[in-house]
Amino acid sequence: MMQRTQRKRRRATAGLAVVAALALAGCGGATVESASTSNSPTAVASGSGSATASASKAACGTVNLAVNPWVGYQADAAVFAQVARTRLGCTIVTKDLKEQVSWQGFGTGEVDLILENWGHEDLAKKFITEQKVAVDLGETGNKGIIGWYVPPWLAKEHPEVLDWTKLNANAQKFKTSESAGKGQLLDGDPSYVTNDAALVKNLKLDYTVVQGGSETSLIQSFRQAEAHKTWLLAYFYEPQWFFNELKLVRVNLPAHTPGCDTDPAKVACDYPPYNLNKVARAAFVTSGSPAAALAKAFRWTNEDQNDVSRSIAVDKLSPEDAAKKWIEAHSSTVDAWLAAG
Amino acid sequence: MTAAVIAARIRAAARPGRGVLAVAVLAVWALLAVVLAGHDTLALDPFDLAWLHRRLNEVNDEVGNARAGDSTVIHLLDAVRAAVDALVRTMQALIARPAGGRPVPVLGWLGVVALATYAAGALGNLRVAALTAAGLLFIGMQGLWTAAMDTLALTLSAVLLALLVGLPIGVAAGVSDRVLRVLTPILDVAQTMPTFVYLAPLTLVFLIGPASAAITTLIYAAPPVVRLTAHGIRSVPVTSVEASRSLGATRWQQLRGVQLPMSRHTIVLGVSQTIMAALSMATITALIDAPGLGKLVLASLEIQDVGAAFNQGLAIVVLAVVLDRVATAAAARTERPGRPSPRRARLRLAGLAGGAVLAVWLVQLSRTYLWAARFPTTTTVGGHDVSWTLGGAVADGAGGTVAWLSNHAAWATGALKDTVSAVLVDPLQALLAGSPWWVTLVALVTLAALAAGPRAAMVALVCLGLLLGTGLWADAMTTLASTVVATAAVMVVGVGLGVWLGRSGTADQLVRPLLDAGQTMPAFVYLVPFVALFQPGRFTAIVAAAVYAVPVTVKIIADGIRGVPSETVEAARSYGSDSWQIITKVQLPMARAAVTLALNQGLIYVLSMVVVGGLVGAGALGYDVVAGFSQGFLYGKGLAAGAAIVLLGVLLDRVTQIAAGRAAGRGALRPSSPSGLDARLRPALNSRPRPAGLQRRPVPTGSTRR
């Protein structure tokens, strides 16, 4: 018994000694402390260091930027944030939110800026007109082109489908198990309200609108349609990174004339090019922050946004790297924004 | 035979059986559906609103305006938010975010792995400790350490809150019948109301940030622990409680001395289910800016990068599997009978002590050295930086597989989709949604009466009446049609797989991780390949729902099959029955309670995927909920759609419960729980033989007084 206890005690002390030895040996390597000290002087000064470039401007502070879940918006946000951080010394806090929650944030003061707004007239009415907590900051320069699209192979081999008058003749070719015997018009994410149901009815088309429910449905359907040469008619929009992969072709609906879409129930014309705009929190704009001025001046074309979107979606760069790449190539545009503010 | 008996028999033969009546009802219904197709279907266009929806929008606006005000309620809410915020931020600083002026969290990766492994070993056994270490290291090697720690921090905070809130409530419900009756509908709503419905208002009340994310997770994750705690306390044998009462114990002593210790196993399982439920909210909370793996999955989805999404979803699956196995081992430990020998006890103590020293040393390392704080993704070999993350390989593999399948399997999947849609879904939908609402209402109530009696008919009438009130009748009936088809498919697969896994232990070991993956992999991850293979539509939604619901039915049925006494199976075999006869005539009938429970749970799980179905083209209620989250003017409609989903769940759950109760009353085991929704958690219980209360410890002679 004594022997067993003694043996155990010896084993225990031996174990502890090994542990202690290892601890004392210290596996070496960079320590956390050294990393903290080397980081801290610059970390806090990330803003102040570059403030020399804009010493005449007011201090920027924190900007709460909402980032809505599509790649085009990410492109806008990445470029804006990069410019604001490096040239204006702002602290940009990005918040990944859907549109409705973003607008709500204007009211609670948690969101300062939305960089790309598609429609949402009801939210504009509520927060800009009624509650007056938000203001329209003008256009982003991007034109949203919405419409009905077909895959490239179909446009090439059967160009007649691009004419809406011929759609009824081909309705059965677009039929799927979801379209109740008629041709299928595939819609996507309900984040943008479409006129498609009214269009189908008023143009007397033998089609059913099938709610795909998400952008995933649209993109995957187009990919499959192109790969397997199936007939597909779906709602889609530009600017969108997917056009880098497949050049979808737009169907010609009756041309848009001013006032033809004021009554949503009677719409029988094509979607007009849509001027995307920016919205900001009223108090943020009146605060005189240089970031607000930059946001107001921020403007670029569909090609610009597509460039950055392609880097993010196709080249799989991080948004920050994609933004840096674009900014380096377009420094004059960026300077123009900063000068205008 | 007496004349009376003969007369009774003739009368019984003359009265049509319930089966015949049901068929007659269906036939009349089908006829009316064909004749009156399209009339009075109460269909509502996707962007149209009914009166209730407009009213709900107004209420929502009023709540929004009130938020800006200054009242005691607002102050209370702000205090709650601040407290929850502080908790989450503390957890984040502990394992995920740079804290205290240092560029790394308080515990580096080595510290987290060490502590987690030690905890797993202490709570469970060495095997789960090894599994924990392996799982966490795998996540690190996927290159997802920081994101996984963010998710874990949020999950653990929510679980802590859920336990803080849920355990006392569960105990109260276990002890008091009235509390349970009041609580059950609340828990039902919390578990079946789609999160999208209350996500935006929650961020309005608790502001955007960790608090909203934690509270969203809490609402969904608390019910399991509440239900299982109540169930555990109620399952303590009455004799044990009476025995303690006869020895003079007060209510409080009863609770502390008898009921809680004896329900410990069930409570631990409740904790496990709560953890799983909390993890499953990772992608949803990402929609309100919660950091972690969910956000990465959403970002991958935006660019349709299936491989990356799979890699990130896999990390969530690994976390869930590790936590589940640890909790199961902890539960098994509480069940171990008798005391361990003194030698084993000393060994365990030595192991715990040694392990603690090792863990503390590793934690200290992780606080000192950078390589032990930030998970290393590259090593310098001979002057070159070699990246050795697995994430890229996993992503490439998954992406390649999906691409291959999309290219080569599309013809088969397309044919399958068209056939199933045309043969199963369309006719049912024409029956339910295409016929006038009053025809469907009467038919459904009659069928409920035939299947389960007058009480079920009453329940059906009330639920369907409320469904009419939501203004979404047509959409609800469409969703009901898809739900029925999905549940039927789930049951077919569930019974098949369940019987196989129940009979074969090795198959069970091999297939179980796949089942766990099906339950915990974020649905957003497999949406992309499914849409690619099956095109947007109801069939895709049904397949997605099946992937989520099959695991639970398989587990329940496998447990039921395993619960059939082996002597019975032996006896059947000794009489010369072959495998097929044993399965159909012995095992399945004797596992009838399990099959009924599996049907009930399958229904509930299928319904919980309705919103995901809306994202892949199923339309109807799922789309309405998604649209309500995306468009301000559709919020009221989304809320009504959520209520409709809850109503469908209550309808189907209660009717099947009542039908099962009646069938059980005629011979098989009686399910002891009042509600079927809580039995979602029972599968783990069925696998363990419940020890009879008083025989756990040898009763000293002299105190056998009852």
Side-chain angles (χ1 to χ4, degrees):
Chain A
M1 192 64 203
M2 265 293 273
Q3 257 187 330
R4 215 188 298 162
T5 327
Q6 275 183 334
R7 227 184 296 151
K8 270 214 198 94
R9 234 178 265 153
R10 264 182 244 135
R11 250 182 264 155
T13 30
L16 275 171
V18 169
V19 167
L22 282 170
L24 287 171
C27 304
T31 62
V32 174
E33 298 311 314
S34 59
S36 322
T37 44
S38 66
N39 278 344
S40 55
T42 52
V44 177
S46 64
S48 53
S50 39
T52 47
S54 50
S56 56
K57 293 211 160 55
C60 186
T62 312
V63 181
N64 294 309
L65 175 63
V67 180
N68 294 158
W70 59 87
V71 180
Y73 194 119
Q74 274 197 332
D76 282 36
V79 170
F80 176 85
Q82 189 68 14
V83 174
R85 276 191 196 116
T86 51
R87 304 287 288 269
L88 294 178
C90 307
T91 314
I92 306 282
V93 175
T94 56
K95 300 186 178 184
D96 291 324
L97 304 165
K98 291 268 289 173
E99 303 91 293
Q100 197 172 331
V101 182
S102 313
W103 283 78
Q104 225 171 254
F106 288 143
T108 57
E110 300 177 282
V111 173
D112 292 324
L113 185 58
I114 290 179
L115 278 175
E116 184 176 289
N117 178 50
W118 288 66
H120 294 291
E121 289 82 14
D122 56 318
L123 291 173
K125 177 159 165 259
K126 185 166 158 189
F127 291 99
I128 297 183
T129 319
E130 287 170 16
Q131 291 187 12
K132 302 207 194 327
V133 290
V135 290
D136 186 341
L137 270 189
E139 295 171 10
T140 63
N142 289 127
K143 299 246 177 295
I145 300 170
I146 304 150
W148 297 5
Y149 288 82
V150 294
W153 80 268
L154 188 58
K156 197 153 71 146
E157 286 179 33
H158 300 272
E160 68 272 16
V161 299
L162 298 177
D163 177 3
W164 74 272
T165 51
K166 307 283 188 306
L167 280 178
N168 272 340
N170 290 301
Q172 287 306 299
K173 298 225 182 62
F174 286 107
K175 187 175 73 152
T176 67
S177 61
E178 305 303 300
S179 54
K182 302 190 190 175
Q184 170 183 271
L185 170 64
L186 186 65
D187 264 18
D189 195 316
S191 295
Y192 186 79
V193 181
T194 70
N195 296 328
D196 287 349
L199 271 171
V200 163
K201 192 170 80 169
N202 297 331
L203 291 176
K204 303 209 194 338
L205 293 173
D206 192 23
Y207 282 76
T208 313
V209 177
V210 173
Q211 300 294 347
S214 60
E215 196 177 74
T216 304
S217 296
L218 294 175
I219 290 179
Q220 294 302 322
S221 301
F222 272 121
R223 271 194 188 148
Q224 291 297 93
E226 180 69 11
H228 300 284
K229 302 257 184 300
T230 49
W231 291 59
L232 176 69
L233 176 68
Y235 153 95
F236 212 65
Y237 33 85
E238 278 187 72
Q240 224 286 349
W241 63 266
F242 189 55
F243 282 93
N244 292 305
E245 185 179 314
L246 272 186
K247 292 265 176 294
L248 307 178
V249 184
R250 198 155 181 277
V251 169
N252 298 318
L253 296 172
H256 180 266
T257 54
C260 75
D261 54 1
T262 38
D263 185 354
K266 297 220 182 12
V267 176
C269 57
D270 207 344
Y271 296 87
Y274 197 84
N275 293 325
L276 304 175
N277 64 329
K278 303 163 279 195
V279 190
R281 192 165 64 96
F284 169 66
V285 176
T286 52
S287 71
S289 162
L294 172 65
K296 198 151 184 206
F298 180 89
R299 234 185 132 83
W300 60 354
T301 63
N302 278 10
E303 286 77 52
D304 291 323
Q305 196 191 75
N306 276 333
D307 269 346
V308 185
S309 298
R310 181 175 38 241
S311 303
I312 298 175
V314 179
D315 304 330
K316 307 272 199 299
L317 290 174
S318 75
E320 292 78 33
D321 291 336
K324 275 191 203 136
K325 190 170 142 195
W326 185 88
I327 290 171
E328 271 159 36
H330 295 85
S331 48
S332 50
T333 320
V334 176
D335 290 335
W337 296 340
L338 292 165
Chain B
M1 274 198 274
T2 65
V5 170
I6 299 173
R9 285 220 183 139
I10 295 174
R11 245 178 286 144
R15 202 187 318 143
R18 285 177 330 144
V20 176
L21 269 178
V23 171
V25 167
L26 280 170
V28 170
W29 188 10
L31 187 65
L32 284 174
V34 167
V35 165
L36 295 169
H39 293 271
D40 282 344
T41 53
L42 301 181
L44 198 62
D45 275 340
F47 296 123
D48 277 348
L49 300 175
W51 168 86
L52 178 71
H53 311 154
R54 271 182 269 271
R55 187 78 194 90
L56 286 172
N57 278 342
E58 286 166 30
V59 170
N60 187 37
D61 287 340
E62 281 160 33
V63 170
N65 291 338
R67 183 50 172 105
D70 190 44
S71 68
T72 29
V73 177
I74 301 288
H75 285 305
L76 187 67
L77 290 171
D78 275 337
V80 169
R81 180 184 58 79
V84 176
D85 229 26
L87 173 66
V88 181
R89 288 197 203 276
T90 314
M91 288 294 251
Q92 283 178 328
L94 200 63
I95 56 178
R97 292 280 167 95
R102 300 156 83 243
V104 292
V106 170
L107 295 173
W109 71 267
L110 192 57
V112 172
V113 173
L115 280 179
T117 311
Y118 181 70
L123 287 173
N125 53 47
L126 278 176
R127 200 149 57 129
V128 290
L131 180 68
T132 307
L136 287 175
L137 288 173
F138 176 72
I139 291 176
M141 290 182 51
Q142 282 180 299
L144 296 171
W145 182 262
T146 318
M149 287 302 108
D150 270 325
T151 300
L152 200 60
L154 189 61
T155 305
L156 288 178
S157 314
V159 167
L160 265 166
L161 287 171
L163 295 181
L164 207 63
V165 166
L167 278 173
I169 295 181
V171 169
V175 169
S176 156
D177 275 342
R178 204 179 316 157
V179 171
L180 186 66
R181 249 203 312 268
V182 163
L183 222 46
T184 306
I186 299 176
L187 295 176
D188 287 349
V189 171
Q191 280 183 299
T192 49
M193 176 68 87
T195 319
F196 275 22
V197 167
Y198 53 82
L199 209 50
L202 213 66
T203 50
L204 189 59
V205 171
F206 291 106
L207 303 185
I208 301 165
S212 286
I215 292 174
T216 309
T217 312
L218 166 68
I219 292 176
Y220 185 68
V225 73
V226 171
R227 292 193 135 129
L228 267 172
T229 308
H231 179 78
I233 291 182
R234 279 162 188 278
S235 302
V236 171
V238 176
T239 44
S240 311
V241 178
E242 277 183 9
S244 76
R245 204 181 301 148
S246 74
L247 291 170
T250 63
R251 286 290 292 270
W252 179 242
Q253 284 172 325
Q254 250 170 256
L255 189 63
R256 252 192 40 198
V258 180
Q259 288 174 308
L260 282 179
M262 289 185 75
S263 52
R264 199 169 31 184
H265 167 247
T266 316
I267 294 178
V268 169
L269 280 168
V271 172
S272 155
Q273 287 298 313
T274 289
I275 295 175
M276 299 280 264
L279 264 177
S280 69
M281 295 293 281
T283 40
I284 306 233
T285 49
L287 289 167
I288 47 173
D289 201 37
L293 293 167
K295 230 191 228 207
L296 293 181
V297 169
L298 288 183
S300 302
L301 220 59
E302 263 176 56
I303 57 176
Q304 303 290 302
D305 191 350
V306 182
F310 178 80
N311 185 40
Q312 290 137 7
L314 190 61
I316 297 181
V317 172
V318 169
L319 274 178
V321 168
V322 162
L323 287 168
D324 175 62
R325 297 288 185 267
V326 171
T328 313
R333 176 173 277 282
T334 68
E335 282 275 285
R336 214 170 290 167
R339 286 184 195 287
S341 67
R343 185 168 173 278
R344 284 199 62 126
R346 269 206 295 270
L347 258 171
R348 185 174 151 79
L349 200 58
L352 282 176
V357 169
L358 189 62
V360 166
W361 175 58
L362 288 172
V363 166
Q364 191 48 34
L365 271 189
S366 81
R367 286 182 59 75
T368 320
Y369 294 108
L370 216 50
W371 63 265
R374 283 200 197 114
F375 203 97
T377 45
T378 55
T379 33
T380 323
V381 173
H384 300 284
D385 271 342
V386 176
S387 166
W388 48 285
T389 58
L390 292 174
V394 172
D396 287 339
T401 315
V402 169
W404 186 90
L405 276 174
S406 311
N407 283 334
H408 298 265
W411 58 270
T413 51
L416 184 64
K417 166 187 91 119
D418 290 336
T419 319
V420 171
S421 300
V423 169
L424 289 177
V425 187
D426 283 340
L428 199 54
Q429 197 172 312
L431 206 58
L432 282 167
S435 41
W437 66 268
W438 38 273
V439 170
T440 310
L441 181 69
V442 168
L444 284 175
V445 171
T446 319
L447 284 172
L450 285 173
R455 204 161 58 124
M458 204 55 230
V459 167
L461 187 61
V462 167
C463 284
L464 292 171
L466 288 171
L467 265 177
L468 276 169
T470 60
L472 291 168
W473 177 263
D475 283 345
M477 289 301 114
T478 310
T479 301
L480 185 59
S482 299
T483 305
V484 168
V485 174
T487 313
V490 163
M491 283 311 288
V492 165
V493 176
V495 168
L497 268 182
V499 165
W500 179 41
L501 293 190
R503 286 164 60 88
S504 159
T506 39
D508 189 72
Q509 294 274 41
L510 288 173
V511 176
R512 197 161 272 260
L514 288 177
L515 295 180
D516 290 337
Q519 256 190 299
T520 51
M521 177 72 80
F524 294 146
V525 171
Y526 50 84
L527 280 188
V528 174
F530 281 11
V531 172
L533 285 173
F534 302 114
Q535 305 303 297
R538 296 156 301 168
F539 182 73
T540 319
I542 288 171
V543 175
V547 167
Y548 185 62
V550 158
V552 76
T553 52
V554 167
K555 284 183 190 173
I556 295 175
I557 294 179
D559 277 334
I561 297 280
R562 255 178 263 132
V564 172
S566 51
E567 302 85 44
T568 319
V569 176
E570 275 304 312
R573 203 173 293 137
S574 72
Y575 274 108
S577 319
D578 64 16
S579 296
W580 179 252
Q581 286 172 319
I582 293 179
I583 293 173
T584 51
K585 300 235 183 302
V586 177
Q587 288 180 308
L588 275 178
M590 288 193 73
R592 187 177 16 203
V595 176
T596 318
L597 180 63
L599 167 65
N600 175 275
Q601 290 305 292
L603 263 168
I604 299 304
Y605 273 57
V606 163
L607 267 179
S608 67
M609 287 289 275
V610 166
V611 174
V612 170
L615 293 171
V616 291
L621 291 180
Y623 182 80
D624 292 332
V625 171
V626 174
F629 184 60
S630 309
Q631 287 292 340
F633 77 97
L634 288 174
Y635 175 74
K637 192 172 187 192
L639 178 54
I645 294 176
V646 174
L647 283 169
L648 279 180
V650 169
L651 168 68
L652 291 167
D653 174 57
R654 298 286 185 268
V655 169
T656 49
Q657 269 303 95
I658 298 172
R662 280 168 62 117
R666 281 188 240 110
L669 304 161
R670 193 181 296 273
S672 59
S673 149
S675 158
L677 275 174
D678 80 316
R680 167 201 311 240
L681 314 155
R682 239 187 285 161
L685 301 180
N686 291 343
S687 62
R688 276 158 196 81
R690 300 223 34 101
L694 280 177
Q695 277 132 35
R696 253 169 141 206
R697 296 207 168 77
V699 179
T701 52
S703 52
T704 47
R705 193 161 50 105
R706 298 224 161 183

